């Protein structure tokens, strides 16, 4: 129940939900959060959405866990911190002694601050001695980071949100910011209403798709042929920015030869979009210059997720839409600190600041006082495989409900059940805790200090509003305490987040200018190499990585093996909705649950009629991986043959359905394409 009271104190902090990174003031009264109001910042300009403004009551939910617990005799037994830490340290040490450090994996989280994610990966590499460290970015925008880093040199959005008002045309791909990044969605809509052109690539007729000049309702799995066909149009119709290509791009002649096989007329049937619409979109994107591309998980969560982003980067390179205001390739990061979690080094293949072991390793070894682990680390999905196969014995997961979140839940459950030690660190007993050995109660975003990193490369302060309840502690405190118990206190004796952040700044040149005193008044976009540097709203103004030209990527189309057939004749995509957030851990413990009490199965009217379904009917959806029951929502936003559902409500457990297919390069699950059939609930 919400407690209503006049706040007697307001604290400025960052929103805990999406990657827009809105700034807010949190009102406190009698030891509770009782209100949130928007703060002014370059990101949100005095606005908040229904999640940031109203969904804060999770902090005081009755089922908040406030004591460490150990599983004994099949149940959870509350214990003191000394007992929990001693028990966990002993079990971890036994596993390392018996199976080696690579039998342990650590998972950081967007719910944790930059400082906490930095300590998590340092713990993995220094205390345990493994590169088995990853975070939730793996399942969303690791494909974006990989594509942007590979082709342009920096794995982050190229342009700041402020460029929305400077663009003439938007290419919005696989993203529904009206619901998932609402403050940015509203800014895009405003700019479109002022005259900017809008191209939307989305299988569904979203609010912005309905407003678009061209809506390309791509068949799920058809992004690469669609983007290649747009590129072919640019080449064929003389819409390439020849000066930009000559000055800053290599591989043009080879690319022209490659893309000639991907004309809109050849690709229309493959991607499900009329050739004329593909050509119209390419012309608008080229003519709009500067044109700004935003993309979301509808691009990344595919077999060719990384390659889909690379195909988008090709479009920007061909039209000169990089290195200038109002342009760029901009992933809309889903979670508050998902950019920061990976950027801090919760990535098996890179160190803090996305720096390579080869270039930066010696500096890290000098500061950390030990050799870096030599072995190749496992990513999150590889950890699941290794756990299933009995090779990974322990996982420590921070603020991340793996079981609820990963695709193909049955496989995830099998993997988690085979671990010898699963340390769950969260506010609540989440679904992953079903398999947990130890539970560490974490402080919430309102109960700790630190920083988050948003979608447009700003580091922003998180400030403590309240003390944590009971024995809950900030993640950074817990990591340091466990390092001490494991006999490795050196390098883990920081007196607070600012000291941790200063070590990050010392190791990450692009963040060196972002001191806490500066962040009190300012949030420049990194790179910001010194305290007088103004920040870098536009990346690649003069050159790409290491002063080089960028190379166009020739991306052949590879069809997903997840295809419809007579047994599974419908295609299901999954995504998020306005009132809720991800696994629902927070938003379902707020009044937003009243606004949107359930996920729904969205279905086209013609399919609903064929199956005899109407709004509110409960239907069982069955895939090759599992089944779930959902209430039907009939809507003309869906194309015939396609279904959509969100995955927020914990008990509906939609990821029982989703596919085991993964991105070919970085293993993000293909949440966007699952073949299913519909059955009566008792069928
Ligand atoms: Fe929070 Fe995102 Fe909403 Fe802003 S748009 S208030 S960051 S959920």
């Amino acid at each position: 129940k919400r407690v209503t009271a006049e706040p007697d104190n307001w604290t400025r902090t960052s929103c805990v939900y999406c990657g827009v990174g809105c700034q807010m003031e949190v009102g406190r009264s009698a030891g509770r959060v009782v209100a949130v109001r928007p703060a002014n910042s370059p990101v949100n300009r005095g606005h908040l959405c229904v999640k940031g403004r109203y969904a804060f009551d999770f902090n005081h939910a009755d089922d908040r866990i406030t004591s460490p617990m150990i599983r004994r005799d099949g149940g959870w037994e509350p214990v003191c911190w000394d007992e929990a830490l001693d028990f966990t340290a002993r079990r971890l040490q036994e596993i390392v002694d018996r199976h080696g450090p690579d039998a342990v994996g650590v998972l950081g989280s967007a719910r944790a601050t930059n400082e906490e994610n930095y300590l998590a990966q340092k713990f993995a590499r220094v205390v345990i001695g493994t590169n088995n460290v990853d975070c939730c970015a793996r399942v969303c925008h690791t494909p974006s980071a990989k594509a942007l880093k590979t082709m342009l040199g920096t794995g982050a959005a190229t342009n700041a949100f402020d460029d929305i008002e400077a663009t003439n045309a938007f290419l919005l791909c696989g993203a529904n910011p009206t619901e998932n990044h609402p403050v940015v969605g509203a800014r895009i809509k405003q700019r479109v209403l002022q005259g900017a052109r809008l191209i939307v690539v989305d299988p569904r007729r979203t609010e912005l798709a309905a407003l678009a000049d061209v809506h390309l309702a791509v068949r799920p799995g058809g992004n690469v042929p669609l983007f290649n066909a747009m590129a072919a149009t640019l080449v064929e119709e003389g819409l390439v920015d020849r000066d930009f290509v000559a000055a800053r791009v290599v591989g043009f002649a080879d690319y022209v030869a490659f893309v000639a096989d991907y004309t809109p007329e050849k690709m229309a049937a493959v991607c499900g979009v009329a050739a004329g619409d593909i050509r119209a979109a390419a012309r608008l994107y080229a003519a709009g210059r500067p044109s700004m591309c935003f993309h979301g998980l509808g691009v990344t969560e595919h077999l060719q997720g990384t390659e889909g982003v690379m195909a988008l980067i090709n479009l920007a390179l061909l039209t000169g839409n990089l290195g200038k205001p109002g342009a760029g390739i901009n992933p809309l990061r889903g979670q508050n600190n998902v950019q920061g979690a990976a950027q801090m080094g919760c990535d098996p293949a890179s160190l803090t600041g996305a720096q390579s072991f080869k270039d930066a390793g010696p500096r890290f070894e000098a500061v950390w006082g030990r050799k870096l682990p030599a072995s190749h680390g496992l990513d999150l999905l590889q950890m699941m495989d290794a756990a299933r196969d009995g090779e990974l014995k322990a996982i420590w997961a921070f603020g991340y409900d793996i079981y609820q979140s990963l695709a193909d839940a049955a496989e995830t459950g099998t993997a988690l059940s085979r671990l010898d030690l699963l340390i769950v660190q969260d506010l609540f007993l989440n679904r992953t805790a079903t398999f947990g050995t130890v539970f560490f109660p974490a402080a919430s975003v309102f109960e700790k200090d630190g920083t988050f990193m948003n979608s447009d490369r700003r580091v922003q302060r998180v400030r403590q509003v309240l003390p944590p309840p009971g024995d809950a502690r900030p993640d950074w405190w817990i990591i340091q305490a466990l390092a001490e118990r494991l006999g490795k206190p050196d390098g883990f004796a920081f007196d607070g987040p600012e000291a941790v952040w200063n070590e990050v700044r010392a190791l990450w040149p692009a963040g060196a200018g972002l001191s806490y005193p500066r962040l009190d008044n300012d949030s420049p976009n990194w790179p910001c190499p010194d305290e007088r540097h103004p920040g870098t709203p536009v990346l690649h103004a003069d050159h790409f990585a290491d002063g080089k030209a960028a190379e166009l990527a020739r991306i052949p189309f590879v069809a997903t093996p997840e295809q419809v057939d007579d047994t599974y004749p419908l295609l299901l995509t999954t995504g998020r909705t306005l009132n809720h957030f991800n696994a629902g851990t927070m938003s379902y413990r707020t009044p937003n649950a009243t606004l949107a009490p359930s996920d729904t199965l969205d279905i086209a009217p013609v399919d609903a009629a064929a199956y005899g379904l109407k709004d509110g009917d409960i239907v069982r959806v069955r895939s090759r991986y599992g089944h779930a029951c959902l209430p039907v929502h009939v809507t003309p936003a869906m194309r015939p043959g396609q279904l959509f559902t969100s995955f927020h409500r914990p008990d509906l457990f939609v990821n029982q359905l989703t596919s085991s297919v993964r991105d070919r390069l970085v293993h993000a699950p293909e949440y966007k394409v699952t073949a299913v059939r519909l059955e009566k609930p008792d069928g």
Side-chain angles (χ1 to χ4, degrees):
K1 267 261 169 79
R2 171 159 292 173
V3 172
T4 48
E6 270 304 304
D8 51 32
N9 175 288
W10 293 93
T11 304
R12 183 176 169 124
T13 190
S14 302
C15 179
V16 70
Y17 288 105
C18 87
V20 173
C22 296
Q23 297 298 289
M24 55 172 54
E25 293 183 344
V26 178
R28 186 185 69 189
S29 175
R32 292 179 71 100
V33 175
V34 293
V36 167
R37 67 186 183 194
N40 220 348
S41 86
V43 171
N44 56 312
R45 301 178 172 185
H47 298 280
L48 292 173
C49 79
V50 68
K51 288 187 277 280
R53 178 131 200 191
Y54 298 111
F56 52 80
D57 306 76
F58 65 86
N59 205 63
H60 307 293
D62 292 341
D63 59 346
R64 179 89 185 263
I65 307 295
T66 60
S67 168
M69 298 191 294
I70 296 174
R71 186 182 292 283
R72 289 191 173 123
D73 300 325
W76 286 107
E77 184 179 318
V79 297
C80 66
W81 271 111
D82 279 341
E83 187 175 350
L85 291 166
D86 284 342
F87 171 87
T88 308
R90 192 171 61 248
R91 294 287 299 273
L92 272 174
Q93 194 62 59
E94 285 168 4
I95 288 168
V96 171
D97 291 345
R98 189 170 310 157
H99 304 284
D102 289 336
V104 178
V106 176
L107 294 170
S109 165
R111 304 272 76 74
T113 62
N114 289 315
E115 294 77 2
E116 291 165 338
N117 280 294
Y118 172 77
L119 285 179
Q121 58 89 38
K122 185 176 179 182
F123 180 93
R125 291 176 166 128
V126 169
V127 177
I128 303 295
T130 182
N131 285 314
N132 292 345
V133 59
D134 207 0
C135 66
C136 41
R138 181 64 48 190
V139 304
C140 59
H141 271 297
T142 298
S144 300
K146 172 78 173 175
L148 287 158
K149 175 98 175 157
T150 303
M151 289 182 70
L152 307 181
T154 301
T158 59
N159 288 60
F161 288 139
D162 272 347
D163 281 7
I164 289 170
E165 284 75 26
T167 198
N168 291 324
F170 295 99
L171 174 58
L172 183 65
C173 301
N176 184 13
T178 314
E179 302 219 30
N180 300 326
H181 307 82
V183 167
V184 159
R187 284 178 71 170
I188 292 173
K189 190 171 171 183
Q190 286 297 316
R191 182 71 193 115
V192 170
L193 294 175
Q194 289 165 0
R197 312 306 294 269
L198 176 62
I199 306 151
V200 172
V201 178
D202 199 306
R204 295 187 299 151
R205 192 164 171 81
T206 60
E207 185 185 325
L208 285 173
L211 201 66
D213 295 282
V214 183
H215 173 205
L216 306 178
V218 62
R219 179 177 299 129
N223 288 331
V224 165
L226 173 62
F227 300 153
N228 284 353
M230 286 178 68
T233 306
L234 297 174
V235 170
E236 211 181 284
E237 300 192 7
L239 302 172
V240 170
D241 183 336
R242 291 268 171 190
D243 292 342
F244 186 88
V245 168
R248 303 195 52 183
V249 177
V250 294
F252 183 66
D254 288 342
Y255 186 75
V256 168
F258 162 79
V259 88
D261 281 339
Y262 285 87
T263 61
E265 289 68 27
K266 287 181 184 164
M267 291 302 110
V270 181
C271 61
V273 178
D277 289 346
I278 300 174
R279 288 191 179 275
R283 288 173 197 142
L284 264 186
Y285 179 67
R289 274 182 288 233
S291 302
M292 191 170 193
C293 177
F294 284 107
H295 71 270
L297 306 184
V299 175
T300 61
E301 290 177 341
H302 287 280
L303 175 76
Q304 287 195 287
T306 305
E307 292 157 294
V309 181
M310 294 170 92
L312 277 179
I313 296 170
N314 285 338
L315 297 178
L317 288 170
L318 289 168
T319 52
N321 274 308
L322 281 164
K324 58 190 66 155
I329 297 291
N330 301 292
L332 285 163
R333 307 300 302 245
Q335 301 188 59
N336 56 337
N337 198 37
V338 72
Q339 176 81 46
Q343 196 75 22
M344 287 302 102
C346 286
D347 180 330
S350 63
L351 296 164
T352 308
Q355 297 177 91
S356 72
F357 287 79
K358 185 163 154 286
D359 296 339
R363 276 192 291 119
F364 280 76
E365 287 176 346
V367 171
W368 289 354
R370 68 154 284 164
K371 294 291 283 179
L372 290 169
S375 58
H376 190 78
L378 302 177
D379 66 37
L380 167 58
L381 280 300
Q382 291 169 324
M383 286 186 209
M384 291 302 114
D385 294 346
R388 179 200 59 211
D389 297 343
E391 289 157 11
L392 193 81
K393 301 294 183 184
I395 287 181
W396 184 2
F398 300 73
Y400 187 9
D401 191 349
I402 315 165
Y403 188 25
Q404 183 83 27
S405 306
L406 288 185
D408 193 3
E411 273 293 294
T412 308
T414 301
L416 295 177
S417 71
R418 291 182 183 167
L419 290 168
D420 291 346
L421 176 64
L422 176 56
I423 309 160
V424 179
Q425 189 159 311
D426 211 311
L427 309 185
F428 305 100
L429 274 178
N430 58 27
R431 194 179 288 277
T432 301
T434 312
F435 303 101
T437 322
V438 191
F439 187 94
F440 290 159
S444 79
V445 67
F446 300 121
E447 298 158 357
K448 60 187 177 184
D449 279 302
T451 58
F452 288 154
M453 187 183 295
N454 80 338
S455 260
D456 76 346
R457 293 178 281 108
R458 291 176 197 273
V459 175
Q460 304 187 107
R461 282 298 314 275
V462 174
R463 294 185 182 85
Q464 185 173 8
V465 180
L466 303 164
D471 282 335
R473 294 288 181 272
D475 297 324
W476 65 266
W477 182 95
I478 300 169
I479 298 166
Q480 298 212 135
L482 195 57
E484 189 182 340
R485 284 301 199 290
L486 282 158
K488 302 264 178 58
D490 293 348
F492 292 89
F494 298 102
D495 61 6
E498 183 173 4
V500 180
W501 184 245
N502 286 336
E503 185 168 301
V504 172
R505 290 170 58 216
L507 284 165
W508 177 38
L514 303 172
S515 67
Y516 266 38
R518 185 167 186 190
L519 294 177
D520 272 339
N521 306 303
D522 195 8
S523 58
N525 317 81
W526 59 262
C528 183
D530 65 64
E531 294 217 39
R532 285 175 306 285
H533 192 284
T536 313
V538 179
L539 289 179
H540 317 305
D542 304 314
H543 56 76
F544 297 110
D546 307 323
K548 292 190 209 134
E551 182 166 3
L552 289 160
R554 300 187 294 279
I555 309 290
F557 171 53
V558 180
T560 175
E562 183 65 22
Q563 297 288 336
V564 293
D565 58 19
D566 290 346
T567 312
Y568 300 100
L570 300 165
L571 257 189
L572 175 73
T573 69
T574 65
R576 292 165 288 168
T577 55
L578 177 64
N579 289 290
H580 288 291
F581 188 73
N582 286 8
T585 311
M586 296 185 295
S587 62
Y588 261 101
R589 289 179 170 88
T590 75
N592 284 30
T594 310
L595 294 174
S598 180
D599 299 312
T600 59
L601 183 74
D602 293 3
I603 184 170
V606 63
D607 289 332
Y611 282 90
L613 295 169
K614 60 183 186 317
D615 271 350
D617 286 352
I618 304 296
V619 67
R620 185 185 300 278
V621 188
R622 188 179 294 278
S623 73
R624 299 178 178 109
Y625 312 93
H627 57 90
C629 290
L630 292 161
V632 164
H633 173 51
V634 183
T635 166
M638 297 306 302
R639 296 186 103 193
Q642 296 178 13
L643 305 166
F644 170 85
T645 184
S646 50
F647 45 75
H648 302 304
R649 207 174 104 173
D651 58 322
L652 296 184
F653 203 6
V654 163
N655 278 315
Q656 293 173 108
L657 294 168
T658 44
S659 142
S660 62
V661 176
R662 299 172 184 171
D663 177 80
R664 299 201 311 156
L665 302 180
V666 300
H667 304 149
E670 189 172 57
Y671 292 101
K672 299 296 181 184
V673 191
T674 305
V676 298
R677 69 170 182 254
L678 302 183
E679 300 171 348
K680 287 186 182 153
D682 55 354

